């Protein structure tokens, strides 16, 4: 049985959430409804209680509440956390991590897929603040449904209407299916740059932030996979529920990847591994020792080495290109002998390395070519996993 929490916030579209509950119930889901204080002004808790056949959850700090903050226990057992309608205020609070009522507190505590169906005045939806908040949430892998375009209650028309209840219910059920899709699978993901030491205080590295690889690790974990993340030095916290192995050099990354790859159903190499490394000097290079010349040696090509070994899992390489994206990526797909190449154009401002967003083309050895347009890295990660999961099925 699919276990869903449906958060309802205070907008005129709150009445449509009743239909969402009914449709989910009819599909066999166990639905717990959480109402914000403002939502109760639009629809009575009793209505939701009757439709969900379960007590409605309100304020966690209400001294008269029977369950009190025990509600948070719910977060551990959920398949999907959904909010419909989500007002501009709730979207902002979720994006910024404000937890001042049960709905927003639960959001911080859940680790399952999250679906948000916004509904608000079109000018509020299109306001840069709301758009930035929605982009932040999408970047974390939150799935948005709508808003739709059409006439609004306040006699205006535009983008801001709540999506149709049937579409929201289907998105919730689809998120639940996805959340279990990789159960029993192990994913190995690499992320970030490597650092190749020159001497005890200096190193050669690159601009990779690790965001793409971390987004992949989180998305795979959300779909139920056991995830091992081999990470170069980055400024990112370890994602919840993911085993992180920290490495520094290409040689260390190679050792970690080769040791853990045999257990993986898929290896995704999003790390920007140094192609060359200097022979490190044991002592700090002195300024007065004259202009220094660096001699660089090639590092081990981890991906090619993996591809040559017998393996049971899929192998996904990344290609950071600055010209002829698809052509170069196709050449890499063949020369490296991998199953997928995810090609990103790292010459575009605001995309790829270091950026919050990416745009990629996914090529596979069965002839597939899938373009993923510019989107937050969380959403790009989901699109990549869709392809990989499809092959694993
Ligand atoms: O970390 P972010 O800031 O979020 O940026 C993400 C990213 C742009 C770094 C990422 O999306 C990406 O493209 N990663 C691969 C970058 C890269 O090293 O591309 P490449 O074309 O040089 O290498 C091709 C593939 O071989 C990659 O999968 C790489 O991990 C692998 N490789 C490279 C060198 C090496 N010595 N061993 C390898 O296994």
């Amino acid at each position: 049985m699919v276990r869903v929490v449906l958060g309802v916030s205070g907008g005129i579209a709150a009445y449509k959430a009743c239909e969402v509950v009914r449709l989910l119930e009819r599909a066999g889901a166990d639905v717990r409804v959480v109402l914000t204080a403002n939502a109760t002004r639009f629809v009575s808790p009793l209505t939701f209680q009757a439709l969900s056949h379960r007590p409605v959850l309100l304020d966690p700090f209400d001294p008269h509440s029977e369950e009190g903050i025990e509600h948070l226990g719910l977060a551990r057992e959920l398949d999907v956390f959904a909010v419909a309608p989500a007002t501009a205020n709730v979207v902002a609070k979720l994006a910024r991590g404000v937890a001042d009522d049960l709905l927003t507190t639960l959001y911080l505590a859940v680790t399952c897929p999250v679906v948000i169906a916004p509904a608000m005045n079109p000018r509020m939806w299109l306001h840069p603040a709301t758009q930035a908040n929605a982009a932040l949430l999408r970047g974390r892998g939150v799935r948005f449904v709508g808003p739709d375009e059409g006439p609004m209650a306040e006699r205006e028309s535009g983008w801001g209407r709540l999506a149709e209840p049937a579409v929201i219910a289907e998105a919730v059920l689809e998120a639940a299916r996805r959340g279990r899709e990789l159960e029993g699978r192990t994913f190995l993901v690499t992320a970030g740059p490597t650092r190749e030491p020159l001497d005890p205080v200096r190193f050669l590295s690159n601009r990779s932030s690790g965001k793409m690889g971390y987004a992949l690790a989180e998305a795979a974990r959300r779909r139920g996979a056991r995830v091992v993340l081999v990470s170069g030095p980055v400024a990112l916290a370890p994602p919840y529920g993911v085993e992180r192995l920290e490495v520094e050099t290409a040689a260390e990354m190679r050792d970690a990847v080769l040791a853990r790859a045999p257990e993986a159903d898929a290896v995704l190499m999003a790390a920007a591994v140094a192609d060359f490394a200097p022979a490190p000097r044991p002592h700090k290079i002195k300024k007065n020792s004259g202009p220094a010349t660096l001699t660089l040696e090639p590092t081990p090509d981890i991906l090619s080495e993996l591809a040559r070994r017998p393996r049971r899992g899929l192998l996904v390489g990344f290609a950071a290109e600055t010209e002829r994206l698809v052509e170069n990526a196709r050449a890499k797909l063949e020369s490296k002998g991998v199953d997928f190449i995810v090609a990103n154009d790292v010459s575009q401002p605001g995309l790829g390395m270091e950026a919050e967003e990416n745009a990629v083309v996914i090529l596979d050895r069965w002839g597939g070519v899938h373009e993923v347009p510019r989107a937050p890295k969380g959403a790009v990660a989901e699109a990549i996993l869709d392809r990989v999961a499809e092959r694993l099925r």
Side-chain angles (χ1 to χ4, degrees):
M1 177 182 275
V2 174
R3 289 150 305 181
V4 180
V5 157
L6 179 71
V8 180
S9 60
I12 186 71
Y15 75 94
K16 292 191 186 169
C18 299
E19 180 64 2
V20 177
V21 176
R22 206 181 60 81
L23 291 168
L24 289 173
E25 273 275 301
R26 224 168 48 186
D30 174 25
V31 188
R32 299 297 309 263
V33 177
V34 176
L35 298 180
T36 64
N38 283 337
T40 63
R41 296 165 182 240
F42 288 92
V43 185
S44 122
L46 215 54
T47 309
F48 285 108
Q49 191 157 311
L51 288 167
S52 65
H53 309 289
R54 304 278 252 130
V56 167
L57 306 172
L58 300 161
D59 180 0
F61 309 114
D62 175 2
H64 306 296
S65 155
E66 276 175 30
E67 292 168 277
I69 57 169
E70 293 297 307
H71 292 336
L72 283 183
L74 258 182
R76 278 194 296 272
E77 295 146 19
L78 278 186
D79 293 305
V80 183
F81 178 78
V83 187
T87 59
N89 181 46
V90 163
V91 171
K93 288 202 283 184
L94 299 185
R96 306 292 156 176
V98 176
D100 61 356
D101 59 12
L102 182 58
L103 189 157
T104 50
T105 305
L106 266 174
Y107 167 72
L108 288 186
V110 299
T111 55
C112 60
V114 177
V115 174
I116 292 183
M120 64 195 75
N121 171 280
R123 277 168 287 121
M124 290 172 79
W125 171 247
L126 292 175
H127 193 284
T130 310
Q131 289 299 308
N133 290 330
L136 239 168
L137 290 166
R138 283 197 191 98
R140 291 186 204 134
V142 169
R143 163 95 204 275
F144 272 71
V145 188
D148 288 351
E149 192 185 19
M152 310 286 298
E154 59 269 35
R155 299 202 173 97
E156 266 185 62
S157 193
W159 293 98
R161 272 169 72 89
L162 185 70
E164 287 306 316
V167 175
I168 299 171
E170 192 41 53
V172 170
L173 296 170
E174 168 63 18
R177 278 193 289 275
R178 274 192 183 178
R180 292 178 173 174
E181 183 176 46
L182 297 180
E183 256 172 26
R185 303 284 193 182
T186 299
F187 271 46
L188 176 62
V189 181
T190 68
T194 61
R195 276 182 188 171
E196 309 304 327
L198 284 164
D199 68 14
V201 295
R202 302 182 178 94
F203 55 80
L204 293 181
S205 190
N206 60 64
R207 295 181 181 282
S208 169
S209 63
K211 286 175 195 158
M212 191 65 244
Y214 275 57
L216 280 165
E218 280 180 43
R221 202 270 312 140
R222 266 198 308 272
R223 291 186 190 210
R226 185 169 75 85
V227 180
V228 180
L229 173 63
V230 178
S231 174
V234 295
L236 299 171
Y240 171 84
V242 164
E243 182 189 356
R244 180 168 77 166
L245 308 175
E246 293 176 67
V247 298
E248 204 160 305
T249 62
E252 286 171 15
M253 187 167 276
R254 171 190 174 272
D255 291 349
V257 169
L258 294 186
R260 302 302 296 269
E263 68 198 79
D265 296 285
V267 180
L268 295 93
M269 296 277 298
V273 188
D275 289 318
F276 298 96
R281 317 228 183 139
H283 300 292
K284 187 175 171 220
I285 303 166
K286 291 272 187 266
K287 193 174 168 183
N288 57 11
S289 60
T293 307
L294 292 180
T295 310
L296 303 175
E297 295 290 337
T299 56
D301 187 327
I302 309 167
L303 194 56
S304 302
E305 199 172 339
L306 268 182
R308 284 195 302 272
R309 293 183 166 209
R311 63 188 148 96
R312 67 184 184 100
L314 294 170
L315 200 47
V316 184
F318 276 66
E321 303 293 343
T322 52
E323 53 178 352
R324 298 200 303 279
L325 185 67
V326 175
E327 200 182 317
N328 287 343
R330 200 180 298 284
K332 235 169 226 173
L333 180 76
E334 281 156 23
S335 68
K336 300 234 180 195
V338 295
D339 300 302
F340 290 89
I341 279 282
V342 180
N344 33 207
D345 184 347
V346 288
S347 67
Q348 299 288 324
L351 280 182
M353 231 175 239
E354 280 188 308
E356 296 299 327
E357 295 186 322
N358 209 356
V360 301
V361 181
I362 308 168
L363 309 180
D364 65 50
R365 73 179 171 87
W366 302 274
V369 179
H370 294 275
E371 216 167 300
V372 184
R374 182 183 193 125
K377 283 180 176 165
V380 174
E382 295 288 349
I384 296 168
L385 286 186
D386 282 348
R387 304 265 77 85
V388 176
E390 192 181 18
R391 271 290 146 191
L392 283 174
R393 275 203 290 274

